[in-house]
Amino acid sequence: VNLVLIEQAELVVEGDVRLGGPRAKHLREVLRVEVGSTVRVGLVDGPIGTARVAAIEGEDVRLVCSLVGAAPERPRIDLLLALPRPKVLRRLWPQLAALGVGKVVLTNASRVERFYFDASVLEPREVRAELLDGLSQARDTRVPLVEVRRAFKPLVEDELEALFGGARRLLCDPGYERSVGAALASPTHRAVLGIGPEGGWTPYERALLERHGFEGVGLGPRTLRSDTATIALLAIAHEALRSAAPAP
Amino acid sequence: VNLVLIEQAELVVEGDVRLGGPRAKHLREVLRVEVGSTVRVGLVDGPIGTARVAAIEGEDVRLVCSLVGAAPERPRIDLLLALPRPKVLRRLWPQLAALGVGKVVLTNASRVERFYFDASVLEPREVRAELLDGLSQARDTRVPLVEVRRAFKPLVEDELEALFGGARRLLCDPGYERSVGAALASPTHRAVLGIGPEGGWTPYERALLERHGFEGVGLGPRTLRSDTATIALLAIAHEALRSAAPAP
């Protein structure tokens, strides 16, 4: 925990907040705060600031927060991700939030098993907890937006513009030669990475995505597990946007 | 499993091999081979080729392998990695092998706990099994070399040349502005990434590494978990070498 995240609903008058549970425990036992200590805090989807420890009452910690200004910029990469296995997705959530992602659209694909959609790892409360965990690691407050689409074709045919706006569309698959860095070398404001399931997109899915503006990119000849590939692609895309000329 | 890996010691006359255990189970139950089927196989640290299923005898599968030619090129990135927590390292092994790494030197650092060195995850047999798992995912046969150094200062002062030869030395820490991509934009044959523990290298450790030729690079302002950071850095470094001009 590098940033203690506070929900809007927890803030009472004058930036006063009373924390219990894991965050209070972390403040008391890891950061070893005392009355008068200062800690870095962030308001979920809001600004980052500082808080003074006003009191320690049993297991609870009372903070007086100073949270003004703008929220951090929304990360410039989105994901269109074929729904991974529940175990893999659980591991991915905090890592995606930590690396930085604006929006994650989880979709069906031929090689996605139906039962993945019933997993608890898609329950909003659990998703949010895992995402906040990653944000507090990375000192960010912007919760990635998450949407689930069980039908792939209508999503690609009708919803891309609404979901991803003018973002550059990259289709990631081991079959493509072009590197992510090369594709993002020209100034790009936002990009969405389409990442297939274990076993990859089918030729039909690739063709549909290509017809809807997705440019094929690959990581080279090595076949990676889908979680490793997702982390690798997200990291490379951020690096490419960071190194490229400023967005127009 | 995208490549069935065979140990040199398992090969008997004329490329004949009898597999039991998980690999035979995988051949029988996932790939559903029959007598006469052809499968892709690789010799550990040797060539990649094909094998014909000669017989299925109970739970065992007998293969006749055709393995000629050179082994794949050794990956061009090495790691000097402050020893991660055992749980994190166990997760990392197959992912490192899959992404591709030539050599991993695990070292002590101020923020590494002593007991990490006693973990079973450093036992050669377990390390090798996890690495082979990642190699068979990525269709590679080159087992990363692994070395452990409990003393950081003598390692940096006396052993870098022997361990990493003429590799470019990059010191990865959130405090540095320069990106990995920028550092590796000039033609580079090999590079070693120095990656600190959870909590980072200390100023003393950074200074020592810098005095011994390590150039500071960072991933930007977000603080990542050490396993996420390691995967991200390795992926970005490979991408940079792949995109840059051919090595001299």
Side-chain angles (χ1 to χ4, degrees), chain B residues 93-135:
Chain B
W93 282 133
Q95 300 188 86
L96 297 183
L99 284 158
V101 60
K103 178 182 281 189
V104 182
V105 178
L106 294 161
T107 180
N108 196 15
S110 257
R111 292 175 187 144
V112 168
E113 305 272 353
R114 289 295 157 144
F115 75 87
Y116 296 179
F117 283 95
D118 305 321
S120 72
V121 70
L122 286 180
E123 281 181 19
R125 185 189 302 259
E126 181 166 339
V127 172
R128 191 174 175 90
E130 299 282 359
L131 293 174
L132 291 187
D133 185 42
L135 291 176

Side-chain angles (χ1 to χ4, degrees), chain A residues 117-133:
Chain A
F117 282 95
D118 305 322
S120 71
V121 70
L122 286 180
E123 282 180 18
R125 187 189 300 260
E126 181 166 340
V127 172
R128 190 172 173 89
E130 298 283 359
L131 292 174
L132 292 187
D133 185 43

Side-chain angles (χ1 to χ4, degrees), chain A residues 218-232:
Chain A
L219 283 177
R222 309 178 78 92
T223 308
L224 302 175
R225 235 167 54 191
S226 68
D227 57 331
T228 311
T230 304
I231 293 168

Side-chain angles (χ1 to χ4, degrees), chain A residues 56-139:
Chain A
I56 299 177
E57 294 160 352
E59 303 204 328
D60 291 1
V61 175
R62 257 193 49 225
L63 299 176
V64 177
C65 306
S66 170
L67 289 162
V68 289
E73 198 201 358
R74 183 178 159 214
R76 286 157 62 196
I77 311 284
D78 298 326
L79 296 180
L80 171 64
L81 189 61
L83 185 61
R85 274 183 297 139
K87 196 176 112 182
V88 170
L89 184 56
R90 179 165 294 114
R91 270 202 306 256
L92 269 181
W93 282 133
Q95 299 188 86
L96 298 183
L99 285 159
V101 60
K103 178 183 281 190
V104 182
V105 178
L106 294 162
T107 179
N108 197 16
S110 255
R111 292 175 186 144
V112 168
E113 305 272 355
R114 287 297 156 144
F115 75 88
Y116 296 178
F117 282 95
D118 305 322
S120 71
V121 70
L122 286 180
E123 282 180 18
R125 187 189 300 260
E126 181 166 340
V127 172
R128 190 172 173 89
E130 298 283 359
L131 292 174
L132 292 187
D133 185 43
L135 291 176
S136 73
Q137 165 74 43
R139 296 196 182 85

Side-chain angles (χ1 to χ4, degrees), chain B residues 24-192:
Chain B
K25 188 168 174 183
H26 183 80
L27 287 168
R28 285 184 290 105
E29 296 181 7
V30 180
L31 301 181
R32 293 163 192 258
V33 299
E34 298 172 352
V35 172
S37 301
T38 300
V39 292
R40 279 183 81 67
V41 294
L43 185 63
V44 173
D45 284 318
I48 289 170
T50 56
R52 196 176 50 79
V53 176
I56 299 177
E57 294 161 350
E59 304 205 327
D60 291 1
V61 176
R62 254 191 52 224
L63 300 175
V64 176
C65 306
S66 171
L67 288 161
V68 289
E73 198 203 355
R74 184 179 159 213
R76 285 156 64 196
I77 311 283
D78 298 326
L79 296 181
L80 172 64
L81 187 62
L83 186 61
R85 274 182 297 141
K87 197 177 112 183
V88 170
L89 184 56
R90 179 165 293 113
R91 270 200 309 254
L92 268 180
W93 282 133
Q95 300 188 86
L96 297 183
L99 284 158
V101 60
K103 178 182 281 189
V104 182
V105 178
L106 294 161
T107 180
N108 196 15
S110 257
R111 292 175 187 144
V112 168
E113 305 272 353
R114 289 295 157 144
F115 75 87
Y116 296 179
F117 283 95
D118 305 321
S120 72
V121 70
L122 286 180
E123 281 181 19
R125 185 189 302 259
E126 181 166 339
V127 172
R128 191 174 175 90
E130 299 282 359
L131 293 174
L132 291 187
D133 185 42
L135 291 176
S136 72
Q137 164 74 43
R139 296 196 182 85
D140 190 6
T141 68
R142 284 283 215 153
V143 186
L145 306 172
V146 176
E147 310 221 18
V148 179
R149 290 293 184 276
R150 293 187 76 130
F152 178 71
K153 188 158 175 272
L155 157 64
V156 178
E157 291 184 335
D158 307 326
E159 289 203 274
L160 291 179
E161 191 57 35
L163 289 168
F164 302 113
R168 282 278 297 282
R169 300 173 183 174
L170 302 184
L171 165 56
C172 309
D173 196 90
Y176 298 104
E177 268 292 315
R178 195 177 187 206
S179 75
V180 181
L184 294 179
S186 56
T188 298
H189 184 57
R190 299 194 64 81
V192 49

